Amino acid sequence: MSESGLGRTGLFVHPDAKRYEQFRAACGETFGRLHAAVNAGAAIERMTRGHVDLLVIDLAGCLVGDPALLTGLSMLIRTRNGAPVLVLCPYGHTAWLPELMAHGALHYRISPVAGAELRSAVDSLLRPAGDMQANAQQQLLDKERELRELLTIQRSVQRAMAHGEDGARLAAQLCAALCSFPGVRHTALLRQHPGGDLCLLAQESRNHLDLVRLLGRQDKLLASPLRDTFPPLLAASAGELVLLDAPEKMGDPELALPLRGEPGGPLLGAVSLMFDRSLQFTREQFACFASLAQYIGFGLAMGELKQQNDALAGRLTQMATRDPLTGAINRRAGEGLLESEIRRARRYGIPLAVIAFDIDNFRSVNDVYGYPIGDQALRAVAATIQGRLRVSDTLARMRGEEFLVIATHTAAADARKLAEKLRATIAGTALPGCETVTISLGVAQVAPDEGATTVIDRVDTALRRAKRGGRNRVELAD
């Protein structure tokens, strides 16, 4: 026994005697007496019989999520009432650390822990407190600094979320915000797809690390060989906080947290942060990062919902404004657009023309070939006309086989040329299932003081005149 261990009493809690012997071999000289307890109840009973300078709880081999075990350990930590506690925690159990911290102060090391590191941790916890007032003052200063840092990163994340971006852009802004936390050198957001696949949504690096190169892929990450060892993959698959605390264990200390749209909701992915040094997270820091993860998960879920709503709104708008058979806008949308274009033409003094046309003898097409062939003819005529219009022109189906073309920046003479081109194109096009189809057209330029109803009446009159004149022809409105 070394001189340094005289008078010091330790208590090691683990059901396996081999774990106790391994700890004793590593740190036995630090203690004058080192006792063992197989569970929390035995440890509490042992502490009632004498003072214990350091309580060591080894979670290796414990059943993750065992509520009875967690309750017992929580009670054990409460009985310490602030006296030194060291928890040796495998990184697969790190979700327990915030739970245990809620019941009292503790220090932790993520196992496996090298002997020298373990002895150093034990020695530091057994070292005399020194100047109590100075220590209390330093703790207060550390807490104030920690609070400022946490508030700063919360504000950064809130600013990123406030922009209301969707998908990858929002994820990139969130990763950049998380990298503003002191000591953070890499952040990443992983997204779970409904089919169960996991992809890298975004990353931000201060250490030139590229997860795509490290993992060998950007999507289907759950098929990666590192699935059971890389913290963010573990957090995303298990739905638990994962902490790797020392650089020598895997490059950089790393904290990974699962993302959910709501507490207890389905997993959406994970967020990970790599640090440039070993850290002892406090209860407040764990709580802050868990809150940020919940906030980010909610934001991603809301962003996805917004995309779905936008897509649904687009489909509803299309259903409300488009003719489902021909793809042209419907009569209501056409009349509304014409009113708008008339106001614009009047405001800027530019010409505006309309072309009305319908399919000649369309009833006979339906009678001879049937309505399915008639529908095919309507679709073919609309598609052919649409293909000959300019991007700025609009085709509207007004009723049955009657259509209207709104031709912007077009005077009567040019509109008549366009109408003649459309007539010739249809006359020369073979339509599926029936003989050649022709169209008759009326053309009108909107007068300076004319409204939509009047110009539609004029161009309809010209269209009827074209049909009376023999069909397959163009007439200019009076």
Side-chain angles (χ1 to χ4, degrees):
M1 182 193 311
S2 69
E3 193 68 25
S4 62
L6 291 174
R8 293 173 176 173
T9 302
L11 180 59
F12 183 84
V13 183
H14 192 277
D16 188 349
K18 289 183 179 180
R19 298 290 299 180
Y20 168 72
E21 292 300 333
Q22 290 170 359
F23 180 79
R24 186 181 184 86
C27 302
E29 294 183 353
T30 310
F31 301 96
R33 292 179 300 278
L34 179 60
H35 304 288
V38 296
N39 53 42
I44 293 174
E45 192 275 331
R46 181 63 189 78
M47 287 191 296
T48 61
R49 291 187 279 132
H51 174 74
V52 172
D53 293 291
L54 177 62
L55 173 67
V56 181
I57 301 174
D58 188 352
L59 298 179
C62 294
L63 181 62
V64 178
D66 184 348
L69 178 59
L70 187 58
T71 299
L73 294 178
S74 300
M75 183 182 301
L76 178 58
I77 290 172
R78 281 200 301 272
T79 62
R80 293 295 286 166
N81 197 26
V85 177
L86 175 62
V87 175
L88 304 179
C89 182
Y91 72 84
H93 290 45
T94 47
W96 283 24
L97 291 176
E99 296 274 359
L100 295 175
M101 285 179 174
H103 298 279
L106 61 85
H107 295 261
Y108 64 86
R109 288 294 185 274
I110 306 302
S111 59
V113 188
E117 181 190 353
L118 184 55
R119 285 192 298 273
S120 175
V122 170
D123 285 339
S124 66
L125 289 172
L126 291 173
R127 193 171 297 127
D131 188 339
M132 298 293 291
Q133 184 175 357
N135 286 342
Q137 182 66 26
Q138 184 60 49
Q139 289 178 2
L140 180 60
L141 293 174
D142 290 343
K143 285 291 184 184
E144 290 178 351
R145 175 183 54 79
E146 177 184 307
L147 179 60
R148 286 196 300 270
E149 292 173 350
L150 294 177
L151 289 175
T152 298
I153 193 172
Q154 283 180 335
R155 285 194 292 267
S156 298
V157 170
Q158 287 170 353
R159 281 196 296 270
M161 300 287 288
H163 292 307
E165 301 288 353
D166 296 325
R169 185 166 181 176
L170 172 61
Q173 291 177 345
L174 288 171
C175 286
L178 292 171
C179 257
S180 66
F181 190 77
V184 175
R185 58 190 301 179
H186 185 278
T187 59
L189 273 177
L190 282 64
R191 186 74 169 90
Q192 187 99 31
H193 291 305
D197 191 15
L198 190 68
C199 73
L200 176 65
L201 201 56
Q203 61 178 325
E204 181 77 14
S205 180
R206 303 286 188 267
N207 61 352
H208 308 294
L209 175 67
D210 182 4
L211 290 189
V212 177
R213 191 163 60 245
L214 174 67
L215 298 173
R217 62 188 73 197
Q218 185 167 354
D219 55 8
K220 299 184 178 178
L221 297 181
L222 293 180
S224 168
L226 299 178
R227 171 180 176 173
D228 297 325
T229 56
F230 193 51
L233 299 185
L234 274 173
S237 58
E240 299 285 355
L241 175 150
V242 178
L243 173 63
L244 198 64
D245 67 335
E248 61 269 19
K249 293 173 185 173
M250 190 187 285
D252 294 293
E254 185 166 3
L255 174 67
L257 301 106
L259 298 176
R260 289 183 168 88
E262 58 183 349
L267 281 171
L268 301 179
V271 57
S272 74
L273 302 94
M274 289 185 181
F275 298 85
D276 58 9
R277 57 187 179 276
S278 295
L279 296 170
Q280 277 281 312
F281 290 105
T282 64
R283 177 188 174 189
E284 290 77 13
Q285 286 175 322
F286 275 127
C288 175
F289 284 120
S291 176
L292 287 175
Q294 183 176 334
Y295 190 53
I296 290 170
F298 176 77
L300 291 178
M302 290 300 99
E304 186 174 281
L305 183 60
K306 180 179 181 298
Q307 287 182 317
Q308 293 173 354
N309 287 341
D310 289 346
L312 178 60
R315 289 195 294 270
L316 290 175
T317 299
Q318 185 173 21
M319 291 172 61
T321 60
R322 291 280 170 184
D323 171 48
L325 178 63
T326 64
I329 64 173
N330 58 31
R331 177 172 183 168
R332 182 176 180 182
E335 291 175 345
L337 179 63
L338 180 57
E339 290 280 8
S340 176
E341 290 295 342
I342 287 175
R343 289 193 297 271
R344 191 166 71 93
R346 190 174 298 150
R347 183 182 307 119
Y348 297 107
I350 54 178
L352 175 67
V354 291
I355 302 171
F357 71 89
D358 74 0
I359 300 175
D360 296 329
N361 299 315
F362 187 70
R363 287 185 180 178
S364 64
V365 172
N366 282 331
D367 292 341
V368 173
Y369 300 103
Y371 286 99
I373 297 299
D375 288 347
Q376 288 185 32
L378 279 172
R379 282 194 294 267
V381 167
T384 303
I385 295 292
Q386 190 70 65
R388 302 304 298 268
L389 297 179
R390 302 168 300 178
V391 175
S392 58
D393 299 335
T394 303
L395 177 66
R397 184 182 181 188
M398 303 302 284
R399 65 180 71 83
E401 70 274 21
E402 297 181 18
F403 293 83
L404 185 74
V405 175
I406 303 172
T408 60
H409 298 267
T410 305
D414 291 329
R416 184 165 189 169
K417 292 178 183 177
L418 173 60
E420 184 58 40
K421 182 174 69 174
L422 298 177
R423 184 203 62 77
T425 298
I426 296 298
T429 300
L431 299 180
C434 62
E435 297 177 355
T436 301
V437 169
T438 61
I439 58 174
S440 299
L441 306 95
V443 177
Q445 180 176 342
V446 180
D449 57 350
E450 193 171 28
T453 302
T454 306
V455 72
I456 289 175
D457 288 343
R458 284 201 301 120
V459 77
D460 278 346
T461 300
L463 172 59
R464 288 193 296 272
R465 192 164 63 247
K467 296 180 79 65
R468 288 195 302 270
R471 299 186 178 88
N472 192 24
R473 57 185 293 155
V474 177
E475 286 289 339
L476 186 63
D478 295 334

